[in-house]
Amino acid sequence: VTVTYEGKTTTFDVVVNNVEESGIVVNTLPKTTYFLGDEADFSALSIKLLYNNGTSTVIMDGFTTTGFDSSTTGVKTITVTYGDFFTNFDITVKNPEITSITVKTPPTKTEYKPGETLDLSGLVLSANYDDGSSVEVTDGYTYDPVDLSTPGTKSVTVYYDKFDTSFDVSVMAYADYSEVEAAKTAAAEKLAAESDVLTTDSIAAINDAVNAVVYDLTVVDQPTVDAMAKAINDAVANVEYLPLDTAEYTATVDKIPTDLSIYTTDSVAAVNNAKAAADALLATGDKRNQAEFDELVAKLDAAITALDEPPADYSEVDALITTVNNLDTSLYENGEAVKAEADAYIEVINANRGYKISQQSEVDAMRDSLQAILDKLVEVDTRVAVFKAKEGSTTVISGRYIYGLKEKLTK
Protein backbone atom coordinates (compact mmCIF):
# COMPACT_ATOMS: atom_id res chain seq x y z
CA VAL A 1 0.00 0.00 0.00
CA THR A 2 1.50 3.37 -1.04
CA VAL A 3 0.70 6.51 1.02
CA THR A 4 1.39 9.97 -0.46
CA TYR A 5 1.40 13.21 1.57
CA GLU A 6 2.68 16.62 0.35
CA GLY A 7 4.75 15.02 -2.37
CA LYS A 8 6.26 12.40 -0.09
CA THR A 9 5.43 8.71 -0.40
CA THR A 10 5.92 5.62 1.68
CA THR A 11 4.67 2.07 1.49
CA PHE A 12 3.69 -0.76 3.83
CA ASP A 13 2.46 -4.31 3.33
CA VAL A 14 -0.86 -5.87 4.33
CA VAL A 15 -1.62 -9.58 4.39
CA VAL A 16 -4.96 -10.87 3.11
CA ASN A 17 -5.81 -14.30 4.52
CA ASN A 18 -8.52 -16.71 3.47
CA VAL A 19 -11.48 -17.02 5.85
CA GLU A 20 -11.15 -20.45 7.42
CA GLU A 21 -12.98 -22.50 10.05
CA SER A 22 -11.14 -22.37 13.38
CA GLY A 23 -13.23 -24.37 15.86
CA ILE A 24 -16.65 -24.98 17.42
CA VAL A 25 -18.33 -24.11 20.74
CA VAL A 26 -21.72 -25.04 22.22
CA ASN A 27 -24.31 -22.42 21.34
CA THR A 28 -27.45 -23.84 23.01
CA LEU A 29 -27.28 -26.50 25.70
CA PRO A 30 -29.76 -29.38 25.50
CA LYS A 31 -31.26 -31.21 28.46
CA THR A 32 -28.42 -31.77 30.94
CA THR A 33 -30.08 -33.59 33.85
CA TYR A 34 -31.08 -37.25 33.43
CA PHE A 35 -32.23 -40.13 35.56
CA LEU A 36 -30.95 -43.68 35.43
CA GLY A 37 -32.08 -45.37 32.24
CA ASP A 38 -33.14 -42.16 30.48
CA GLU A 39 -32.46 -41.82 26.78
CA ALA A 40 -30.40 -38.95 25.44
CA ASP A 41 -32.31 -35.87 24.36
CA PHE A 42 -30.06 -33.46 22.47
CA SER A 43 -32.82 -31.98 20.33
CA ALA A 44 -32.16 -28.47 21.63
CA LEU A 45 -28.40 -28.67 21.06
CA SER A 46 -26.83 -26.23 18.64
CA ILE A 47 -23.20 -25.23 18.10
CA LYS A 48 -21.32 -22.27 16.71
CA LEU A 49 -18.79 -22.85 13.93
CA LEU A 50 -16.03 -20.29 14.49
CA TYR A 51 -13.98 -18.63 11.76
CA ASN A 52 -10.50 -17.09 11.92
CA ASN A 53 -11.95 -13.64 11.15
CA GLY A 54 -13.94 -13.58 14.39
CA THR A 55 -17.32 -14.46 12.86
CA SER A 56 -19.38 -17.56 13.50
CA THR A 57 -22.31 -19.56 12.15
CA VAL A 58 -24.94 -21.39 14.22
CA ILE A 59 -25.14 -25.07 13.28
CA MET A 60 -28.34 -26.94 14.15
CA ASP A 61 -27.44 -30.37 12.76
CA GLY A 62 -24.71 -32.30 10.96
CA PHE A 63 -22.66 -32.85 14.12
CA THR A 64 -22.29 -36.02 16.22
CA THR A 65 -22.29 -36.61 19.98
CA THR A 66 -20.57 -39.28 22.02
CA GLY A 67 -20.19 -40.09 25.70
CA PHE A 68 -23.85 -40.41 26.79
CA ASP A 69 -24.39 -43.14 29.40
CA SER A 70 -27.37 -43.16 31.78
CA SER A 71 -26.68 -46.60 33.22
CA THR A 72 -24.77 -45.14 36.16
CA THR A 73 -25.09 -41.93 38.14
CA GLY A 74 -22.62 -39.07 38.01
CA VAL A 75 -21.35 -36.33 35.77
CA LYS A 76 -20.80 -37.44 32.17
CA THR A 77 -18.88 -35.51 29.52
CA ILE A 78 -20.50 -35.33 26.11
CA THR A 79 -18.26 -34.72 23.11
CA VAL A 80 -19.69 -32.90 20.10
CA THR A 81 -17.84 -33.42 16.82
CA TYR A 82 -18.27 -31.39 13.65
CA GLY A 83 -15.81 -31.99 10.85
CA ASP A 84 -12.31 -31.78 12.30
CA PHE A 85 -13.46 -29.91 15.40
CA PHE A 86 -14.92 -30.98 18.73
CA THR A 87 -16.16 -29.43 21.97
CA ASN A 88 -17.60 -30.77 25.25
CA PHE A 89 -20.37 -30.19 27.76
CA ASP A 90 -21.42 -32.08 30.90
CA ILE A 91 -24.63 -33.85 31.85
CA THR A 92 -25.66 -35.25 35.23
CA VAL A 93 -27.24 -38.68 35.71
CA LYS A 94 -28.94 -39.07 39.09
CA ASN A 95 -31.25 -41.38 41.00
CA PRO A 96 -34.87 -40.22 41.27
CA GLU A 97 -35.60 -38.49 44.57
CA ILE A 98 -38.83 -38.06 46.48
CA THR A 99 -40.14 -34.52 46.29
CA SER A 100 -43.46 -34.91 48.09
CA ILE A 101 -46.03 -37.35 49.39
CA THR A 102 -49.75 -37.19 48.89
CA VAL A 103 -52.73 -39.25 49.98
CA LYS A 104 -53.70 -41.55 47.14
CA THR A 105 -56.40 -43.47 49.02
CA PRO A 106 -57.82 -42.24 52.35
CA PRO A 107 -58.14 -44.74 55.18
CA THR A 108 -61.26 -46.86 55.20
CA LYS A 109 -62.53 -45.21 58.37
CA THR A 110 -62.76 -41.41 58.32
CA GLU A 111 -65.74 -40.83 60.64
CA TYR A 112 -65.44 -41.35 64.38
CA LYS A 113 -67.37 -41.07 67.55
CA PRO A 114 -65.79 -39.28 70.51
CA GLY A 115 -63.17 -41.42 72.26
CA GLU A 116 -62.54 -43.87 69.41
CA THR A 117 -58.98 -44.78 68.38
CA LEU A 118 -57.57 -43.63 65.10
CA ASP A 119 -57.49 -46.45 62.52
CA LEU A 120 -55.48 -45.89 59.34
CA SER A 121 -56.22 -49.26 57.74
CA GLY A 122 -56.59 -48.90 53.99
CA LEU A 123 -54.50 -45.72 53.81
CA VAL A 124 -52.35 -45.58 50.66
CA LEU A 125 -49.79 -42.81 50.20
CA SER A 126 -48.16 -41.80 46.95
CA ALA A 127 -44.44 -41.05 47.07
CA ASN A 128 -43.83 -38.61 44.21
CA TYR A 129 -40.36 -38.52 42.58
CA ASP A 130 -38.62 -35.76 40.64
CA ASP A 131 -38.59 -37.89 37.48
CA GLY A 132 -42.39 -37.73 37.36
CA SER A 133 -42.93 -41.25 38.70
CA SER A 134 -44.71 -42.24 41.90
CA VAL A 135 -44.74 -45.28 44.17
CA GLU A 136 -47.54 -46.49 46.42
CA VAL A 137 -46.69 -46.59 50.13
CA THR A 138 -48.85 -48.73 52.44
CA ASP A 139 -46.51 -49.04 55.43
CA GLY A 140 -43.36 -47.57 56.88
CA TYR A 141 -45.02 -44.23 57.58
CA THR A 142 -45.68 -42.57 60.94
CA TYR A 143 -48.31 -40.10 62.11
CA ASP A 144 -48.97 -37.63 64.88
CA PRO A 145 -51.40 -38.57 67.66
CA VAL A 146 -54.86 -37.12 67.11
CA ASP A 147 -57.30 -36.18 69.84
CA LEU A 148 -60.66 -37.69 68.94
CA SER A 149 -62.30 -36.86 72.24
CA THR A 150 -64.14 -33.82 70.95
CA PRO A 151 -66.36 -33.43 67.93
CA GLY A 152 -65.17 -31.72 64.78
CA THR A 153 -62.86 -32.11 61.84
CA LYS A 154 -59.44 -33.48 62.79
CA SER A 155 -56.33 -33.20 60.68
CA VAL A 156 -54.11 -36.28 60.57
CA THR A 157 -50.49 -35.62 59.59
CA VAL A 158 -48.59 -38.55 58.10
CA TYR A 159 -44.77 -38.72 57.67
CA TYR A 160 -42.73 -40.74 55.19
CA ASP A 161 -39.05 -40.23 54.48
CA LYS A 162 -38.52 -36.47 54.99
CA PHE A 163 -41.99 -35.43 53.85
CA ASP A 164 -45.45 -35.11 55.29
CA THR A 165 -49.02 -34.77 54.17
CA SER A 166 -52.33 -34.56 55.94
CA PHE A 167 -55.97 -35.47 55.63
CA ASP A 168 -59.05 -34.93 57.74
CA VAL A 169 -61.23 -37.24 59.80
CA SER A 170 -64.44 -36.23 61.54
CA VAL A 171 -65.78 -36.84 65.03
CA MET A 172 -69.48 -37.01 64.24
CA ALA A 173 -71.06 -36.59 67.65
CA TYR A 174 -71.70 -32.97 66.89
CA ALA A 175 -72.76 -31.10 63.82
CA ASP A 176 -70.13 -29.96 61.32
CA TYR A 177 -69.41 -26.27 61.83
CA SER A 178 -66.72 -26.02 59.16
CA GLU A 179 -68.95 -24.06 56.79
CA VAL A 180 -69.94 -21.78 59.62
CA GLU A 181 -66.29 -21.13 60.44
CA ALA A 182 -65.46 -20.54 56.81
CA ALA A 183 -68.37 -18.13 56.52
CA LYS A 184 -67.26 -16.30 59.65
CA THR A 185 -63.73 -16.03 58.28
CA ALA A 186 -65.06 -14.59 55.02
CA ALA A 187 -67.23 -12.17 57.00
CA ALA A 188 -64.29 -11.06 59.15
CA GLU A 189 -62.14 -10.55 56.06
CA LYS A 190 -64.94 -8.58 54.41
CA LEU A 191 -65.33 -6.28 57.40
CA ALA A 192 -61.58 -5.87 57.82
CA ALA A 193 -61.11 -4.97 54.19
CA GLU A 194 -64.23 -2.91 53.46
CA SER A 195 -65.87 -1.66 56.65
CA ASP A 196 -65.02 1.90 55.65
CA VAL A 197 -66.95 1.60 52.37
CA LEU A 198 -69.94 -0.51 53.50
CA THR A 199 -73.28 0.92 54.56
CA THR A 200 -74.19 0.77 58.26
CA ASP A 201 -77.05 -1.63 57.49
CA SER A 202 -74.73 -4.04 55.64
CA ILE A 203 -72.25 -4.11 58.53
CA ALA A 204 -75.08 -4.70 60.99
CA ALA A 205 -76.49 -7.54 58.85
CA ILE A 206 -73.12 -9.35 58.83
CA ASN A 207 -72.60 -8.92 62.57
CA ASP A 208 -76.14 -10.07 63.32
CA ALA A 209 -75.69 -13.23 61.22
CA VAL A 210 -72.37 -14.04 62.89
CA ASN A 211 -73.74 -13.39 66.37
CA ALA A 212 -76.73 -15.64 65.67
CA VAL A 213 -74.51 -18.77 65.45
CA VAL A 214 -75.31 -21.32 68.16
CA TYR A 215 -72.62 -23.92 68.91
CA ASP A 216 -72.64 -27.49 70.26
CA LEU A 217 -75.59 -28.63 68.15
CA THR A 218 -75.61 -32.30 67.24
CA VAL A 219 -75.58 -33.88 63.81
CA VAL A 220 -79.33 -34.01 63.99
CA ASP A 221 -79.28 -30.22 63.78
CA GLN A 222 -76.89 -30.11 60.83
CA PRO A 223 -79.48 -28.38 58.58
CA THR A 224 -79.79 -25.64 61.20
CA VAL A 225 -76.02 -25.24 61.34
CA ASP A 226 -75.88 -25.10 57.53
CA ALA A 227 -78.57 -22.41 57.58
CA MET A 228 -76.41 -20.36 59.95
CA ALA A 229 -73.51 -20.56 57.50
CA LYS A 230 -75.82 -19.59 54.65
CA ALA A 231 -77.15 -16.59 56.58
CA ILE A 232 -73.61 -15.30 57.07
CA ASN A 233 -72.66 -15.91 53.44
CA ASP A 234 -75.85 -14.20 52.25
CA ALA A 235 -75.14 -11.18 54.44
CA VAL A 236 -71.64 -10.95 52.95
CA ALA A 237 -72.85 -11.47 49.37
CA ASN A 238 -75.64 -8.90 49.62
CA VAL A 239 -73.70 -6.01 51.10
CA GLU A 240 -74.31 -2.50 49.85
CA TYR A 241 -71.61 0.09 49.43
CA LEU A 242 -71.55 3.76 50.27
CA PRO A 243 -71.86 6.12 47.31
CA LEU A 244 -68.90 8.05 46.00
CA ASP A 245 -67.95 11.28 47.75
CA THR A 246 -68.68 13.87 45.07
CA ALA A 247 -67.85 17.09 46.91
CA GLU A 248 -64.55 17.60 45.12
CA TYR A 249 -66.14 16.56 41.82
CA THR A 250 -68.91 19.16 42.20
CA ALA A 251 -66.42 21.90 43.09
CA THR A 252 -64.27 20.97 40.11
CA VAL A 253 -67.18 20.90 37.65
CA ASP A 254 -68.14 24.38 38.88
CA LYS A 255 -64.74 25.58 37.67
CA ILE A 256 -65.58 24.77 34.03
CA PRO A 257 -66.08 28.10 32.22
CA THR A 258 -69.60 28.73 30.97
CA ASP A 259 -68.31 29.81 27.57
CA LEU A 260 -65.84 27.30 26.17
CA SER A 261 -65.97 28.78 22.68
CA ILE A 262 -62.97 31.02 23.32
CA TYR A 263 -60.65 28.07 23.97
CA THR A 264 -58.81 25.78 21.56
CA THR A 265 -60.60 22.71 20.27
CA ASP A 266 -58.02 20.34 21.77
CA SER A 267 -58.10 21.85 25.26
CA VAL A 268 -61.92 21.86 25.30
CA ALA A 269 -61.91 18.21 24.13
CA ALA A 270 -59.55 17.34 26.99
CA VAL A 271 -61.98 18.87 29.52
CA ASN A 272 -64.98 17.11 27.98
CA ASN A 273 -63.19 13.75 27.84
CA ALA A 274 -61.99 14.06 31.45
CA LYS A 275 -65.51 14.94 32.63
CA ALA A 276 -67.02 12.07 30.62
CA ALA A 277 -64.62 9.63 32.28
CA ALA A 278 -65.49 10.92 35.74
CA ASP A 279 -69.22 10.87 34.92
CA ALA A 280 -69.00 7.27 33.67
CA LEU A 281 -67.47 6.09 36.95
CA LEU A 282 -69.89 8.22 38.94
CA ALA A 283 -72.78 6.46 37.21
CA THR A 284 -71.58 2.94 38.03
CA GLY A 285 -69.07 3.19 40.88
CA ASP A 286 -69.31 3.30 44.64
CA LYS A 287 -67.06 4.08 47.60
CA ARG A 288 -64.69 1.25 46.60
CA ASN A 289 -63.81 3.30 43.54
CA GLN A 290 -63.14 6.52 45.49
CA ALA A 291 -59.39 6.59 44.81
CA GLU A 292 -59.93 6.02 41.09
CA PHE A 293 -62.71 8.62 41.05
CA ASP A 294 -60.55 11.17 42.87
CA GLU A 295 -57.82 10.60 40.28
CA LEU A 296 -60.30 11.24 37.45
CA VAL A 297 -61.49 14.41 39.19
CA ALA A 298 -57.86 15.53 39.53
CA LYS A 299 -57.39 14.93 35.79
CA LEU A 300 -60.51 16.99 35.10
CA ASP A 301 -59.17 19.79 37.29
CA ALA A 302 -55.86 19.66 35.43
CA ALA A 303 -57.66 19.79 32.07
CA ILE A 304 -59.64 22.85 33.22
CA THR A 305 -56.43 24.53 34.34
CA ALA A 306 -54.87 23.71 30.97
CA LEU A 307 -57.69 25.30 28.93
CA ASP A 308 -55.90 27.24 26.22
CA GLU A 309 -57.21 30.24 24.30
CA PRO A 310 -56.27 30.83 20.65
CA PRO A 311 -53.81 33.70 20.13
CA ALA A 312 -55.10 37.20 19.52
CA ASP A 313 -55.24 38.53 15.92
CA TYR A 314 -52.15 40.65 15.27
CA SER A 315 -52.75 40.98 11.50
CA GLU A 316 -53.73 44.68 11.57
CA VAL A 317 -50.83 45.46 13.88
CA ASP A 318 -48.47 43.60 11.55
CA ALA A 319 -49.82 45.53 8.57
CA LEU A 320 -48.98 48.83 10.31
CA ILE A 321 -45.52 47.48 11.23
CA THR A 322 -44.96 46.73 7.55
CA THR A 323 -45.98 50.31 6.75
CA VAL A 324 -43.44 51.60 9.28
CA ASN A 325 -40.71 49.35 7.93
CA ASN A 326 -41.36 50.58 4.37
CA LEU A 327 -41.74 54.27 5.36
CA ASP A 328 -39.83 56.75 3.13
CA THR A 329 -38.97 59.39 5.74
CA SER A 330 -37.79 61.85 3.07
CA LEU A 331 -41.37 62.45 2.07
CA TYR A 332 -42.22 63.91 5.48
CA GLU A 333 -41.00 66.93 7.37
CA ASN A 334 -40.85 64.85 10.63
CA GLY A 335 -40.27 61.45 8.99
CA GLU A 336 -37.20 60.49 10.98
CA ALA A 337 -38.69 61.44 14.35
CA VAL A 338 -41.97 59.63 13.68
CA LYS A 339 -40.10 56.57 12.37
CA ALA A 340 -37.96 56.47 15.51
CA GLU A 341 -41.01 56.75 17.74
CA ALA A 342 -42.81 54.04 15.75
CA ASP A 343 -39.81 51.69 15.89
CA ALA A 344 -39.61 52.11 19.66
CA TYR A 345 -43.30 51.29 20.02
CA ILE A 346 -42.92 48.28 17.72
CA GLU A 347 -40.43 46.90 20.25
CA VAL A 348 -43.16 47.22 22.90
CA ILE A 349 -45.57 45.38 20.61
CA ASN A 350 -43.11 42.57 19.95
CA ALA A 351 -42.55 42.16 23.69
CA ASN A 352 -46.30 41.58 24.06
CA ARG A 353 -46.86 38.99 21.32
CA GLY A 354 -48.36 36.39 23.66
CA TYR A 355 -51.83 37.89 24.08
CA LYS A 356 -54.79 35.52 23.77
CA ILE A 357 -58.06 36.14 21.97
CA SER A 358 -59.67 37.34 25.21
CA GLN A 359 -57.05 40.12 25.20
CA GLN A 360 -57.82 41.21 21.64
CA SER A 361 -58.83 44.65 22.90
CA GLU A 362 -55.30 45.18 24.19
CA VAL A 363 -53.87 44.17 20.80
CA ASP A 364 -56.32 46.56 19.10
CA ALA A 365 -55.19 49.30 21.49
CA MET A 366 -51.57 48.70 20.42
CA ARG A 367 -52.74 48.94 16.79
CA ASP A 368 -54.47 52.24 17.51
CA SER A 369 -51.42 53.60 19.35
CA LEU A 370 -49.15 52.74 16.44
CA GLN A 371 -51.64 54.31 14.02
CA ALA A 372 -51.69 57.45 16.17
CA ILE A 373 -47.91 57.68 15.87
CA LEU A 374 -48.13 57.36 12.07
CA ASP A 375 -50.85 59.99 12.00
CA LYS A 376 -48.25 62.51 13.26
CA LEU A 377 -46.47 62.42 9.87
CA VAL A 378 -46.43 65.80 8.03
CA GLU A 379 -45.85 65.58 4.29
CA VAL A 380 -43.25 67.79 2.60
CA ASP A 381 -44.83 70.62 0.40
CA THR A 382 -44.23 69.40 -3.15
CA ARG A 383 -45.77 72.39 -4.95
CA VAL A 384 -43.46 73.93 -7.71
CA ALA A 385 -42.92 77.71 -8.17
CA VAL A 386 -42.70 78.89 -11.81
CA PHE A 387 -40.82 82.09 -12.57
CA LYS A 388 -40.68 84.17 -15.82
CA ALA A 389 -38.28 86.99 -16.69
CA LYS A 390 -39.79 90.42 -17.45
CA GLU A 391 -39.41 91.83 -20.90
CA GLY A 392 -36.11 93.58 -21.32
CA SER A 393 -34.67 91.84 -18.18
CA THR A 394 -31.15 90.44 -18.27
CA THR A 395 -32.19 87.59 -15.92
CA VAL A 396 -31.55 84.14 -17.28
CA ILE A 397 -33.70 81.13 -16.26
CA SER A 398 -32.00 77.80 -16.93
CA GLY A 399 -33.65 74.56 -15.65
CA ARG A 400 -34.03 74.83 -11.89
CA TYR A 401 -31.66 77.85 -11.60
CA ILE A 402 -32.41 81.63 -11.98
CA TYR A 403 -29.66 84.05 -12.63
CA GLY A 404 -30.29 87.80 -12.12
CA LEU A 405 -31.98 90.14 -9.67
CA LYS A 406 -35.14 88.85 -8.07
CA GLU A 407 -36.98 92.20 -8.41
CA LYS A 408 -36.83 91.85 -12.22
CA LEU A 409 -38.78 88.51 -12.01
CA THR A 410 -42.50 87.88 -12.23
CA LYS A 411 -44.05 84.87 -10.60
Side-chain angles (χ1 to χ4, degrees), residues 61-132:
D61 52 29
F63 47 79
T64 60
T65 58
T66 57
F68 181 83
D69 177 14
S70 65
S71 63
T72 59
T73 61
V75 176
K76 312 297 176 76
T77 298
I78 306 300
T79 300
V80 184
T81 302
Y82 182 79
D84 295 330
F85 305 108
F86 69 90
T87 188
N88 301 313
F89 65 90
D90 292 336
I91 65 169
T92 301
V93 180
K94 55 181 283 189
N95 286 312
E97 298 177 355
I98 297 177
T99 57
S100 67
I101 62 171
T102 54
V103 175
K104 182 175 184 180
T105 305
T108 304
K109 185 175 178 63
T110 57
E111 296 180 353
Y112 293 85
K113 292 180 181 180
E116 289 186 327
T117 302
L118 184 65
D119 179 4
L120 298 186
S121 300
L123 174 64
V124 179
L125 301 177
S126 177
N128 305 309
Y129 289 81
D130 56 4
D131 65 349

Side-chain angles (χ1 to χ4, degrees), residues 327-339 376-383:
L327 184 66
D328 183 353
T329 57
S330 66
L331 299 178
Y332 303 92
E333 293 181 2
N334 58 346
E336 293 295 337
V338 171
K339 177 72 162 57
K376 295 178 183 180
L377 288 168
V378 177
E379 295 182 1
V380 172
D381 189 352
T382 58
R383 292 175 298 171

Side-chain angles (χ1 to χ4, degrees), residues 208-232:
D208 289 347
V210 171
N211 294 333
V213 174
V214 177
Y215 286 96
D216 295 332
L217 297 178
T218 67
V219 292
V220 176
D221 301 308
Q222 188 65 52
T224 301
V225 175
D226 293 343
M228 296 175 190
K230 184 177 184 303
I232 297 173

Side-chain angles (χ1 to χ4, degrees), residues 352-368:
N352 292 276
R353 282 281 177 177
Y355 285 155
K356 302 294 184 178
I357 193 67
S358 61
Q359 299 169 296
Q360 184 65 47
S361 61
E362 297 182 48
V363 176
D364 293 342
M366 289 190 289
R367 175 204 62 200
D368 295 342

Side-chain angles (χ1 to χ4, degrees), residues 147-171:
D147 180 10
L148 301 181
S149 63
T150 56
T153 300
K154 311 294 181 175
S155 179
V156 180
T157 301
V158 182
Y159 302 90
Y160 181 76
D161 199 344
K162 298 179 295 184
F163 302 93
D164 65 83
T165 188
S166 61
F167 59 90
D168 292 337
V169 296
S170 299
V171 178

